[in-house]
Amino acid sequence: MQIMDAARRLGRDERPASRSAAVPEILDPRRVSVAAVFAAVAGAWQAFRCCVRPAAGFAAIFVVIGVAIFALLIHFGLAPMMLPFAGGFLLVGPAVLAGFFALHRAVAAGRRAAFGDVLDGFRRAPRGVWGLSAACCLLFLIWVTDAATVYSFMIGGEAQDVAKVARFHGWTGAMGAVLACIVFNITAFAVPLLLDGRATLVGAVTASVRAVFANPTAMPVWALILAVAVIATILFPPLLLVSLPCLAFASDLLYLQVYPPESARPEPNPER
């Protein structure tokens, strides 16, 4: 209930007041339990049921992209690269959160969410969100390049036997986990903080890292849910119609619990 109440408060104020540069906020992350993570997932499902058409419609864009990429990989005999590409979505996922968050805030405000809210969410996104998204896309390109290099060394043009493919997935899985961990730490709470105008880019990234380390039990569980759900559903793209909106909504609900609207306080002015 506390999570949904916070969502409704922010949902009513869909255009947060800009934070004064002279009075920056000190954001103190709250500790949450593992139960709160599962409560956020349950709340996300309820929110999804209130905006199935626009949420699934937005997610359908990524279904089409995923199917096209997988079809090309299979056509060129690069099927083992499907798993690295699926895992790579964890690196670029934060770039699409603005649209899903806008839908969730519309539902929380008691409005009928529409695809126009998705477009409005991206239109209102500050430059910090675009900068963070660009960094995530760069990491994705680095990841795909590294995975392709490992593929050429471990498999190349040879016959794709099970042992070689398993070894390839093992190495690339370990490499991808490191990059995904970095992206999770810096973006888990940075994107919503930027969208709500509560921090600068550097401040939002710092607050995100602090929140992750302040919750050493709940955040690994949440990261594991994200990884398993995203990779599993990307390998069967139609499931993305449900998984992407629900995971994005759950991320917003967790943010509202770790950094509720009333948690911010003005930074003390040393000149006073």
Side-chain angles (χ1 to χ4, degrees):
M1 287 297 296
Q2 292 179 346
I3 304 178
M4 297 306 295
D5 288 343
R8 293 189 185 95
R9 285 196 296 273
L10 268 182
R12 294 190 190 99
D13 184 15
E14 296 179 88
R15 195 182 294 270
S18 299
R19 186 173 46 84
S20 171
V23 188
E25 292 180 358
I26 297 177
L27 295 163
D28 297 318
R30 293 187 178 182
R31 294 179 64 89
V32 296
S33 64
V34 173
V37 174
F38 291 104
V41 173
W45 170 248
Q46 295 298 323
F48 173 71
R49 293 176 59 187
C50 296
C51 59
V52 173
R53 288 186 179 180
F58 182 39
I61 296 173
F62 307 101
V63 173
V64 173
I65 294 173
V67 169
I69 291 175
F70 286 174
L72 287 173
L73 291 174
I74 293 173
H75 175 74
F76 289 107
L78 300 172
M81 284 291 293
M82 291 172 64
L83 188 59
F85 266 90
F89 188 80
L90 290 169
L91 304 179
V92 297
V96 305
L97 287 178
F100 286 119
F101 280 10
L103 288 175
H104 184 240
R105 300 296 173 81
V107 171
R111 293 195 297 104
R112 183 173 182 178
F115 197 79
D117 291 301
V118 174
L119 300 178
D120 199 41
F122 284 109
R123 183 179 62 81
R124 294 182 182 182
R127 285 179 296 179
V129 171
W130 296 111
L132 199 59
S133 299
C136 291
C137 290
L138 178 61
L139 285 175
F140 174 76
L141 293 176
I142 293 173
W143 158 242
V144 170
T145 303
D146 289 348
T149 302
V150 174
Y151 178 89
S152 66
F153 277 107
M154 299 186 72
I155 299 178
E158 301 179 9
Q160 298 176 3
D161 63 73
V162 176
K164 287 183 179 179
V165 172
R167 194 161 54 247
F168 166 70
H169 285 158
W171 279 103
T172 54
M175 294 164 51
V178 174
L179 284 176
C181 182
I182 294 172
V183 171
F184 177 77
N185 275 270
I186 67 177
T187 64
F189 300 98
V191 173
L193 284 171
L194 287 167
L195 289 172
D196 287 340
R198 299 174 64 185
T200 60
L201 177 57
V202 174
V205 170
T206 301
S208 181
V209 174
R210 288 178 59 214
V212 172
F213 279 86
N215 292 277
T217 304
M219 289 303 105
V221 171
W222 174 231
L224 182 62
I225 291 174
L226 284 174
V228 172
V230 169
I231 294 175
T233 55
I234 283 182
L235 291 176
F236 188 65
L239 291 179
L240 288 174
L241 296 175
V242 177
S243 67
L244 283 186
C246 287
L247 291 174
F249 295 169
S251 179
D252 195 24
L253 289 171
L254 275 176
Y255 150 69
L256 292 171
Q257 184 149 341
V258 174
Y259 285 118
E262 67 273 12
S263 70
R265 55 189 175 86
E267 187 178 62
N269 190 340
E271 296 180 359
R272 292 183 180 177

